[in-house]
Each structure stands twice: as C-alpha cells, then as structure tokens.
Amino acid sequence: QEHAYPADELMPLTCRGRVRGQEPSRGDVDDALGKFSLTLIDTLDTLVVLNKTKEFEEAVKKVIKDVNLDNDIVVSVFETNIRVLGGLLGGHSVAIMLKEKGEYMQWYNGELLQMAKELGYKLLPAFNTTSGLPYPRVNLKFGVRHPEARTGTETDTCTACAGTLILEFAALSRFTGTSIFELLKVKPPFHFLLFLDSGVGAGIDSYYEYLLKAYVLLGDDSFLERFNTHYDAIMRYISQPPLLLDVHIHKPMLNARTWMDSLLAFFPGLQVLKGDIRPAIETHEMLYQVIKKHNFLPEAFTTDFRVHWAQHPLRPEFAESTYFLYKATGDPYYLEVGKTLIENLNKYARVPCGFAAMKDVRTGSHEDRMDSFFLAEMFKYLYLLFADKEDMIFDIEDYIFTTEAHLLPLWLSTTNQTVSKKNTTTEYTELDDSNFDWTCPNTQILFPNDPMFAQSIREPLKNVVDKSCPRGISRAEESLGSGPKPPLRARDFMASNPEHLEILKKMGVSLIHLKDGRVQLVQHAVQAASSLDAEDGLRFMQEMIELSSQQQKEQQLPPRAVQIVSHPFFGRVVLTAGPAQFGMDLSKHKAGTRGFVATIKPYNGCSEITNPEAVKEKIALMQRGQCMFAEKARNIQKAGAIGGIVIDDNEGSSSDTAPLFQMAGDGKNTDDITIPMLFLFNKEGNIILDAIREYEAVEVLLSDKAKDRATIFKGKMIPNYIIDSNLEMESMDQKLSENDSHKQNSEEATSASQDVGAVSEEPEEGESSDVTDSESLSPADAGSDSISISNQDSSVPGTDEASAPEPACTQGDHQPQEQKTETESNSKVNWDNKVQPMESILADWNEDIEAFEMMEKDEL
C-alpha cells in the first residue's frame, strides 16, 4: 500500500505501482490488469488466514470505497474470474465467517458479494458464443460486440481458460440465489477445441483441478466421471514417473515435447486430493531436486533437467503441492522442503520494496514484477504448511481452495441448488479401473502403517537431477532391454552409415544432399514400411528438430548480472546484463569484477577519456552509440577502468520487453581488451544512475550470476547481523510473521518475462560491426529449407554430413551450486587479524547501522 496502491500490482525494483497503459505493454500478461486494485482483492482472504483480521477489515473497506469495476478496459476472462471474482467471493466467505464469530466485521452487509455479482454480469457477454465456450477477453464497460469494446478478433481459448470458471460461477449463484451463472458453467465443458498435443501443464492444468473440485463442492457425478476419464488417460500415457510429458493426442505413445513447464507442479497436490499418493510423491521429489539445483523452478526444463525457459515469476504451484503432501502424510520432510522455499525467497528474491520475479534462475537476475498470485497463494500455502491448528482462527477444512487459493465454504453444496445434481451411472463408469473410486480416500490407509513409506518412494529419486548433464544411454545399453531393438535416435544418426540410411528408408525418411555439403531430411509417412515404422520416423524427425534447435541455442552467450552491493542495496538488486564477445569472460572468473561506478567524459566513450582520475580502478559507465563497443572498451581500459557498463541510449528500453543484447566486436583482434564489458538496457541503466544521484558512491559486482550476500561481504568489515541474515533463518513463526507484515506493504506487481535470445550490436551513426542475430547463428543458413512437419511430410535442414552431434550442456547448465554459506561460528569477523583505525571502524559500523535501520523501516 505504501508504494503501489491503488495500482493493480507492485513493481518491486522501482518501488511503484504498475498501471496499465502507463508502462510498456507486455502483451497478454497485461490482460490480468483492469485498474481494479488487483493485488488487494486477490489477497483479501490471505489476510484472514494469516490472522490479520484488523488489516482485513481495513482492506475490505478500501475495496468497497475505491474499486471501480466499470472501467473501459479489455481484460482476460480467465484471469479476472480466478483473481478478482474469486478474490471477492473468498473475501465475502471469510467476512461472513468473522461476522458470525461476533468480534469483527459487524458492519458488513454483503458488499463484496454485490461487487462480485456486478463483475459476474460484466463477464456474461463473453459467453455469447455458438459453442457456449467464452471468448478469451471482454471489455468491462462495453462487453464484446459493442463497437467500442476493442476485444480483438481472437476467438480461440485454451482448455484451462474455458474450464476454470465452474467453481466461481457456481459459488456466485449459490451465494446470491441468481441461477444464471451456475447454468452457464455448471455442466462440464465436454467439447473443447482440439489441439495436437495434451499434457497436465500450461493451458489445461486447472481444468482437471476444477473437475474434481466441482464434484467435491457441488456433488454432481458428471464432474467426477469426466475427471476419472481424463485421469485414467493421464496415468496411462502422460505419466512417466517421475516425469509428466505432453503426448500427441492421436498417437499418445509419442511424446510431443522433450521439456516440461513449471505449471505442472500443481499436479501432485491434485493427486493427493484424488488419493493417488505414490506418483504424487515421485513427481514432487523430482521437482524438488530441480529446485535444489537452480534455487527456483524454471518456467520450463528438459527431460534431462536442463533449463529450457529460465524465468521464474514466483509461482506457487510447488508450494501448494508441498502443503497437500504434508497434510496427507504428516512427513516432516515436507516442512524441510517448505523451509528451503522460504530461505530461497528471502535470499534471492527479496528486494527493497517486495519480492521480485527471477529473470533468469541461472544468473539470479530480477524482473520488475511481483504478480498478485504471490501474495494470494504463495504466502497462504507456506503459512498453512507451518501453522498449527491453534494458529488458525477458523477451520480450514471447512473450505475448498480455488485455483487461486481462494476459500469457498463447503456448505455451498447444499445451498440454493439451481441445477439438479446428476447422480446416475453413465458410460464413463464402465471402464474397469481402480481410478473410478466414488468416495474420498481414507487417510488411514494412504500409508500401510509404515512411517518410512514416503521416504522409500523418494529414496530412488534423490539423485535424479544430477549436477551436470546426465550421460546419454548408449545404443548398446538400450539394446540390452527386454523389448525389441529401439529405432534410430537422432543423436546417433550418421549420414555416412549405410545401416542408418536403410533404417531411415524403412521409416519413410529420405535424405537429400544439398550443394553446400549439408543434408536435408524429409519424411513421407505413406512411404514407411508400416504404420509403426511411420511413428518411429515421426519420433526421429521430432528428435532431430529438437537437436537442431538445441545447437542453435548453444551458440548464444548466456546473460550476465550486474549486482548493486553498496548501501542500502547490499546485493539485493540484480540487473540482467548483456554479454560481450570480447574482454574478460566472467564465466571463467567466478569472483567477478567488483568496484565503484563512475561516469566517464565524454559520456559516449568514443574518444580519449578526459576524467581518468575519476575512472581509475572503477567500473566506467558510458552511453551506447557513435562508435564501436570495442573502441569504448579500449578507451576506458587505457584510462585505468577495471570494467565497463554500456547503457542503451534508446529511451524506455528494458530487458523486460526486449531480447538480451549481445555486444559484438569490431571485426578485428580484440585480445588486447582484458576488462569485462556488459550492456544494460535504458531502464536497468537508469536504476544505477538514479542510485548515483541519491547515494553518490555506488558499488557493483559484474559476474556471470548473482552472488549471495555472504559471498559478497566475505572478509568485509560489516556487522554480523548483515551476514547472518543470509546464513541463518529465524524461526518459522518469525519469518512467516515478517512475510505477512511485508505483504501489506508490497501490494501489486508484474513484468513480462521473455526468452533470452542472442542479440548483437547494431551499428549506429556510422558504427560498423559483425551483425549477427539468433537466426544467423543457427546451423542452417538463411537460404536453406525451413523445418516443417505436416500431416504427411516433415523435414529437417542442415544436418551435418558426418553426424548430428549430441547436444552438449550449455554454459548455464554447468553452473555450480551456490557456495555453501558458512556456519555462524565460522562467519564471525576475526577482529584480532584486522588492523584498522578506530575512526574507520566506527564509520563502517555507523553506515551499516543506518542501512539496517532503513531496511527495518522498509520492512525488508
């Protein structure tokens, strides 16, 4: 509330609210923002869970007084339903509960419910379709078809977007007695748009969740029938313990991807609700191993646990599954998992004004983004994980969680029933499968009276995620299996091997020799020896495409980090920086380069530096443009600088909205440049420039990835409480209380995360350089045939004549684990070995005490 209210979300790096239209557009991500104080509404019932009843009462008054739902703005139907409508209903649920207890909310008269009803009516125009499935977007003021609606022409919607409306709309009808909402979405959405692949992650996740939870809340058998049918197929085809891999809809034995997205982390929690504990434990343990390797769960990771998409917007799904597994098992192991999550959040994501999303889990760089679901879900699940029954002012078992963790009371199942329940056996129950149980699982038999049961399931998976790239299984090892010899794998293919060519022919894959020495692969399914051989050919082509894509990515340099380590930041602010193709390779100098920053004259750095005394032994700041990057580097190196940061001169540019920039050389030998050079977009550069204006002396660390504060300040003369805050966690109750207190002040935020791509220097005003981009770096030249897969044909260009080399680990994947922090006893400053004047010691202490007081004041 201090930095962002009444904006929708908080921007934690710049300490201001995110208002749609006032910040650069992030595309579909911004469709969640409707100028309706999103984070405040989304967090209402979290306040009551955390026993902050006074704060909840004040927050409800603010929502009633300030929030306007009649804005001329286009929003996502899905996001508005789960965050805003769900938030209002969850707030109403706990408000009437508190009112019944007689101490708080005595003045409340259903105002939140009336706002929910108003919002429900504003979402109804989205359902004016021939299929009954809603449009993806709606204008809160003008609906969909009004000339001023501006909702666009897109009509496609994802399965989760259409199927995750059941709980909120049915609850709205049950609360108000208005049947229209439940009539719209109470029936299971049996007929969706067909996609080529299916899984349990992004785009479909909460659809499964709502089928089972709708049966629990509403008691209609048709929801359970549909869920059981899906669950049976998931466990037959998608579940490959401990992995959950997307498959082709019409050929479910074929994997459609070689990577998984982080949203599937909700599934173990859903399996707990289903009562299928073993696979829940297996998948959860695999995800935990990935987190231990990268500190957070990447947005996507490959089947051999390499980073596929490096962002992490502080998603709560893994914490949700951890909570449900602990509730089901009582195993203290899951408390340790929760402790790790809290430690990582405080150590790597906490910034002066809140918690910042991770731009890249490999480098530890931040995004100026804090989504509303972080406070609505993450805080709630972590608190509930550690809370005892006496810590709660109500019984959480009386409620069911929506996908946004909002609370809906179970007594709605018998209130204002506007649609008759279907409790007759249908064709779905004819499947002879144990998944079709009609009762909730008996917790007494989840474990066979063996407290080591869960551990026995986890034990084989404890090393499933190795610190380096797993060794590929050789064909000789594969052939030792009991089944038939596996088909040819893309990584083994050699175009000069006659046996391989014969296998390709059998699979319907033909090889075309190109004039430049490369080969092109094309598949014609009708030419395969059999339908099974055609499937093998399709799998081979998919693997080859993935291999080709991986080879392109491996030629890109990974992002770097600029970390502000001086007062009052102390390493909490990490900026994503573009690398240079010359100068010191920070990946080979793990300590990085640390120093105070200084602005050079002339600012463009294209001529001899006129203020060398200010630059010597410092990291030089300069502006992009007017000459080559290498020339700038040589000039500041000659002036005595130990490093350089080039700031983009394009006003408003940001790593949030643009691919990573990679500085190219000048086409000459650049071995003479020995200092590190990094590139910052305009927005990130201004953070450093603003810090200089406010604090004058600003010290930064240039490195391949962000360092923890214990590493940064090792050997420095600072109070122990600064270091210890990174080495040891306070008790769980204290931390959760601190998080709760902080939550009220970090009200709103989000910022777009995009895939990191290689971008090289583009000449400006006479500049000349080696201009390359991600496409020109690819193995296939611009003139080569494109990669395509159609119903019958598919092709892969650019395969090397000798062989398609096995993908190697990228540099980011070889990142070592963070250095283990020293124990408290070892981290104490050795005063006897320090020889400093008393005035210097006191000055250091006073500066750090001021910083600590400021951090306390900001509730860091």
Side-chain angles (χ1 to χ4, degrees):
Q1 295 191 38
E2 179 181 347
H3 298 293
Y5 187 78
D8 280 318
E9 291 181 335
L10 170 72
M11 300 173 68
L13 296 182
T14 51
C15 299
R16 68 178 190 270
R18 179 177 296 281
V19 179
R20 193 168 173 184
Q22 297 181 12
E23 302 292 336
S25 174
R26 302 170 302 163
D28 292 348
V29 177
D30 283 338
D31 287 345
L33 312 180
K35 297 182 179 179
F36 36 37
S37 297
L38 173 63
T39 298
L40 182 60
I41 292 177
D42 212 4
T43 315
L44 287 176
D45 52 6
T46 299
L47 290 171
V48 179
V49 170
L50 299 177
N51 203 4
K52 298 292 182 180
T53 48
K54 292 182 180 179
E55 291 83 352
F56 169 75
E57 193 159 5
E58 292 302 315
V60 172
K61 291 178 179 178
K62 281 192 173 185
V63 169
I64 295 171
K65 176 184 175 184
D66 299 337
V67 172
N68 178 25
L69 298 174
D70 195 38
N71 300 315
D72 179 11
I73 192 167
V74 177
V75 296
S76 162
V77 173
F78 168 74
E79 297 290 353
T80 304
N81 172 70
I82 65 172
R83 299 201 204 189
V84 186
L85 181 57
L88 292 170
L89 292 173
H92 173 71
S93 298
V94 293
I96 58 178
M97 177 270 296
L98 290 174
K99 185 175 182 179
E100 289 176 359
K101 288 182 177 291
E103 184 176 356
Y104 296 98
M105 303 298 294
Q106 297 305 299
W107 54 270
Y108 181 71
N109 196 31
E111 289 85 353
L112 293 179
L113 182 59
Q114 290 304 311
M115 294 179 68
K117 186 176 180 180
E118 177 188 354
L119 181 60
Y121 278 120
K122 290 185 175 298
L123 295 178
L124 287 184
F127 293 89
N128 188 16
T129 62
T130 56
S131 66
L133 301 179
Y135 287 110
R137 298 176 185 85
V138 67
N139 186 300
L140 291 178
K141 190 176 185 70
F142 297 109
V144 175
R145 298 191 175 183
H146 192 279
E148 298 182 53
R150 307 185 313 281
T151 54
T153 59
E154 182 181 359
T155 59
D156 293 349
T157 190
C158 69
T159 309
C161 298
T164 312
L165 303 165
I166 306 170
L167 292 186
E168 288 84 359
F169 271 54
L172 183 57
S173 284
R174 299 292 177 96
F175 271 129
T176 62
T178 305
S179 63
I180 180 64
F181 306 107
E182 187 169 0
L183 288 172
L184 275 174
K185 291 311 300 174
V186 75
K187 57 183 181 299
F190 289 162
H191 304 291
F192 282 112
L193 297 175
L194 290 179
F195 296 93
L196 295 179
D197 55 85
S198 182
V200 297
I204 198 171
D205 48 354
S206 51
Y207 164 61
Y208 300 130
E209 177 186 3
Y210 269 35
L211 287 178
L212 184 55
K213 290 183 176 179
Y215 169 68
V216 174
L217 183 65
L218 307 177
D220 189 333
D221 287 356
S222 61
F223 291 108
L224 184 61
E225 292 170 355
R226 173 57 59 170
F227 173 79
N228 282 333
T229 301
H230 289 316
Y231 192 77
D232 175 68
I234 290 169
M235 300 310 292
R236 288 176 186 268
Y237 304 114
I238 295 173
S239 178
Q240 303 172 35
L243 310 180
L244 291 165
L245 293 174
D246 284 21
V247 298
H248 290 279
I249 279 186
H250 301 297
K251 297 179 180 179
M253 298 303 294
L254 292 180
N255 292 332
R257 296 176 182 170
T258 58
W259 49 270
M260 296 165 281
D261 65 78
S262 62
L263 286 172
L264 63 77
F266 91 100
F267 199 68
L270 187 62
Q271 289 179 305
V272 170
L273 186 61
K274 162 70 177 170
D276 200 359
I277 298 295
R278 176 179 286 274
I281 293 173
E282 292 173 337
T283 299
H284 180 274
E285 181 62 19
M286 177 271 293
L287 295 170
Y288 183 43
Q289 297 298 326
V290 174
I291 289 174
K292 288 201 292 187
K293 180 178 181 181
H294 300 294
N295 299 321
F296 297 97
L297 197 61
E299 275 291 80
F301 54 93
T302 63
T303 53
D304 55 1
F305 310 110
R306 288 183 272 184
V307 173
H308 186 71
W309 296 334
Q311 311 96 311
H312 175 72
L314 306 181
R315 294 199 184 277
E317 285 78 13
F318 182 77
E320 174 186 0
S321 289
T322 303
Y323 165 68
F324 283 115
L325 272 169
Y326 179 66
K327 290 287 288 184
T329 67
D331 190 337
Y333 174 82
Y334 295 108
L335 296 179
E336 290 298 321
V337 174
K339 180 182 178 183
T340 299
L341 296 181
I342 294 174
E343 287 176 341
N344 288 349
L345 285 171
N346 281 296
K347 190 173 183 179
Y348 300 111
R350 202 165 192 170
V351 293
C353 294
F355 289 83
M358 307 306 295
K359 178 76 171 179
D360 193 315
V361 298
R362 297 165 297 187
T363 64
S365 56
H366 292 137
E367 282 188 75
D368 201 2
R369 168 182 184 179
M370 192 179 81
D371 292 81
S372 67
F373 54 66
F374 178 68
L375 299 180
E377 297 185 70
M378 182 73 84
F379 270 35
K380 189 176 294 173
Y381 285 125
L382 288 177
Y383 181 84
L384 289 172
L385 176 63
F386 293 98
D388 295 323
K389 193 170 184 179
E390 54 269 22
D391 297 325
M392 302 292 296
I393 60 175
F394 65 99
D395 189 353
I396 197 70
E397 303 295 340
D398 292 338
Y399 297 81
I400 192 168
F401 292 100
T402 69
T403 194
E404 192 77 2
H406 294 308
L407 302 176
L408 298 178
L410 291 173
W411 52 256
L412 287 176
S413 61
T414 58
T415 302
N416 292 328
Q417 296 184 26
T418 57
V419 177
S420 59
K421 292 190 296 184
K422 175 186 176 184
N423 289 314
T424 59
T425 304
T426 72
E427 67 273 15
Y428 296 112
T429 61
E430 294 177 2
L431 288 174
D432 182 17
D433 192 279
S434 60
N435 287 324
F436 286 76
D437 297 330
W438 292 91
T439 59
C440 294
N442 185 341
T443 57
Q444 300 301 316
I445 61 172
L446 288 179
F447 296 91
N449 298 319
D450 182 3
M452 300 299 291
F453 179 68
Q455 182 177 340
S456 68
I457 298 175
R458 291 192 303 265
E459 188 66 24
L461 301 171
K462 66 178 182 180
N463 295 319
V464 68
V465 180
D466 196 58
K467 293 183 179 179
S468 60
C469 293
R471 178 179 63 88
I473 300 175
S474 68
R475 290 188 55 78
E477 291 171 324
E478 287 178 330
S479 62
L480 294 176
S482 58
K485 185 176 180 179
L488 179 65
R489 306 301 297 271
R491 64 173 181 263
D492 301 322
F493 172 67
M494 296 181 65
S496 59
N497 188 319
E499 182 183 352
H500 290 182
L501 297 179
E502 188 63 31
I503 295 174
L504 290 186
K505 183 178 179 180
K506 186 178 181 182
M507 296 190 299
V509 179
S510 57
L511 183 145
I512 302 173
H513 291 268
L514 303 178
K515 292 181 179 180
D516 58 6
R518 294 176 299 118
V519 295
Q520 181 181 18
L521 300 174
V522 180
Q523 187 202 24
H524 300 278
V526 295
Q527 297 179 5
S530 68
S531 59
L532 291 178
D533 290 319
E535 289 187 11
D536 291 340
L538 179 59
R539 182 190 296 110
F540 175 83
M541 297 298 289
Q542 290 168 339
E543 289 181 356
M544 189 61 74
I545 291 171
E546 290 284 345
L547 182 59
S548 176
S549 175
Q550 182 67 32
Q551 290 171 343
Q552 294 179 28
K553 292 179 180 179
E554 286 170 358
Q555 297 190 42
Q556 303 173 8
L557 290 176
R560 306 301 188 204
V562 175
Q563 194 167 6
I564 307 180
V565 299
S566 56
H567 163 83
F569 306 97
F570 295 113
R572 291 188 181 276
V573 175
V574 183
L575 307 175
T576 300
Q581 297 176 354
F582 54 85
M584 178 190 293
D585 185 354
L586 291 171
S587 67
K588 298 179 180 178
H589 296 77
K590 296 302 181 184
T593 297
R594 177 173 175 167
F596 288 92
V597 295
T599 304
I600 63 172
K601 297 179 181 179
Y603 190 32
N604 58 34
C606 293
S607 59
E608 185 175 353
I609 307 304
T610 60
N611 61 334
E613 68 286 346
V615 176
K616 188 174 181 180
E617 299 300 322
K618 294 183 179 179
I619 295 174
L621 298 179
M622 67 211 79
Q623 190 177 46
R624 176 188 178 189
Q626 301 184 24
C627 66
M628 299 297 296
F629 289 125
E631 183 178 349
K632 299 174 190 286
R634 291 188 178 99
N635 288 333
I636 64 170
Q637 181 174 286
K638 183 179 179 181
I642 60 175
I645 298 175
V646 179
I647 299 176
D648 192 11
D649 59 346
N650 183 16
E651 190 69 28
S653 65
S654 168
S655 64
D656 293 338
T657 55
L660 198 68
F661 197 92
Q662 182 171 295
M663 295 187 289
D666 54 4
K668 305 174 184 177
N669 190 323
T670 54
D671 291 345
D672 58 313
I673 302 175
T674 59
I675 61 174
M677 293 288 292
L678 297 180
F679 178 89
L680 290 179
F681 282 106
N682 187 264
K683 176 183 174 181
E684 287 77 12
N686 281 335
I687 291 177
I688 294 182
L689 296 176
D690 290 343
I692 293 175
R693 283 189 284 269
E694 186 166 356
Y695 303 106
E696 295 185 1
V698 175
E699 189 178 14
V700 302
L701 173 66
L702 313 183
S703 60
D704 64 327
K705 63 184 296 184
K707 311 297 181 185
D708 61 53
R709 295 169 68 200
T711 301
I712 293 172
F713 296 116
K714 186 175 182 180
K716 295 290 180 179
M717 193 63 182
I718 65 172
N720 283 332
Y721 54 73
I722 294 289
I723 297 179
D724 290 344
S725 66
N726 265 327
L727 299 181
E728 296 182 352
M729 299 300 295
E730 298 173 7
S731 70
M732 286 301 105
D733 291 338
Q734 291 173 324
K735 278 299 179 184
L736 291 169
S737 175
E738 179 187 353
N739 288 352
D740 166 45
S741 176
H742 165 76
K743 170 189 64 50
Q744 299 170 47
N745 290 324
S746 29
E747 194 66 63
E748 0 271 298
T750 81
S751 180
S753 60
Q754 300 187 5
D755 293 342
V756 174
V759 179
S760 63
E761 169 71 353
E762 203 169 295
E764 295 186 37
E765 303 180 20
E767 293 183 40
S768 63
S769 67
D770 297 332
V771 180
T772 59
D773 57 26
S774 59
E775 292 185 355
S776 64
L777 287 173
S778 64
D781 295 331
S784 65
D785 298 291
S786 61
I787 298 174
S788 63
I789 295 183
S790 63
N791 290 338
Q792 295 183 337
D793 302 328
S794 50
S795 65
V796 179
T799 305
D800 183 62
E801 183 73 33
S803 67
E806 181 172 353
C809 295
T810 61
Q811 185 175 0
D813 296 319
H814 274 300
Q815 296 293 353
Q817 296 294 300
E818 288 290 336
Q819 298 180 21
K820 293 184 179 179
T821 54
E822 301 172 4
T823 61
E824 182 178 2
S825 60
N826 291 333
S827 65
K828 300 296 184 182
V829 178
N830 189 341
W831 290 90
D832 295 335
N833 295 330
K834 301 291 181 180
V835 181
Q836 283 186 299
M838 182 58 66
E839 293 80 8
S840 175
I841 294 175
L842 291 175
D844 287 344
W845 272 80
N846 287 332
E847 179 180 328
D848 292 319
I849 290 172
E850 290 174 4
F852 185 68
E853 290 174 346
M854 179 177 294
M855 288 191 289
E856 278 194 326
K857 180 179 178 181
D858 291 339
E859 295 185 322
L860 289 177

